[in-house]
Amino acid sequence: MTQSFKNKNFASASYFAGEFLSIMPNGSRAETAKKIKTKSDSISTDAIEIDFDPYADFDICAGTFTPIYKGSAKVTEALCGASYHASEKGKICSITKITTIGAPASGLRILA
């Protein structure tokens, strides 16, 4: 919210402030969010276009940190379950640093 406002992304700042206020409606940070939302609503433009649709379901690609919208092709990493764009398949996972993205795996099985 604050970074969007500082970078003149007022439409995004307004959205983030509204989401913040739905979680925390009272307090000093809520007052800041209300001020940002009021000012941002009066301008309602974004200086920098970002690939973000707040009304769509999405996952975050662990490699590119971009949204993977519902219905788009994605692959997962077997050890930690991180989601990646299909173009990342075959690369090394940026989280575990030891597994290949999209490789089939049965997982660890412990018999008691």
Side-chain angles (χ1 to χ4, degrees):
M1 164 186 73
T2 307
Q3 291 302 314
S4 290
F5 188 80
K6 286 179 183 178
N7 288 302
K8 296 179 177 37
N9 276 14
F10 299 113
S12 298
S14 175
Y15 171 77
F16 294 134
E19 289 295 307
F20 182 84
L21 289 169
S22 70
I23 297 168
M24 185 178 287
N26 301 319
S28 62
R29 298 188 108 193
E31 293 302 319
T32 302
K34 289 175 187 174
K35 290 176 186 175
I36 288 174
K37 183 154 179 58
T38 302
K39 180 70 174 173
S40 296
D41 285 342
S42 67
I43 300 170
S44 294
T45 60
D46 280 342
I48 304 166
E49 287 296 319
I50 56 173
D51 183 15
F52 174 66
D53 181 2
Y55 305 107
D57 291 334
F58 64 91
D59 290 326
I60 300 293
C61 176
T64 61
F65 303 111
T66 56
I68 307 169
Y69 292 107
K70 187 175 182 178
S72 298
K74 73 175 184 177
V75 292
T76 57
E77 188 276 330
L79 186 61
C80 67
S83 296
Y84 288 89
H85 286 288
S87 61
E88 300 291 308
K89 186 175 183 175
K91 296 180 181 178
I92 299 295
C93 176
S94 60
I95 297 171
T96 64
K97 306 281 191 218
I98 58 170
T99 53
T100 303
I101 300 165
S106 62
L108 178 64
R109 297 180 189 203
I110 300 175
L111 300 173

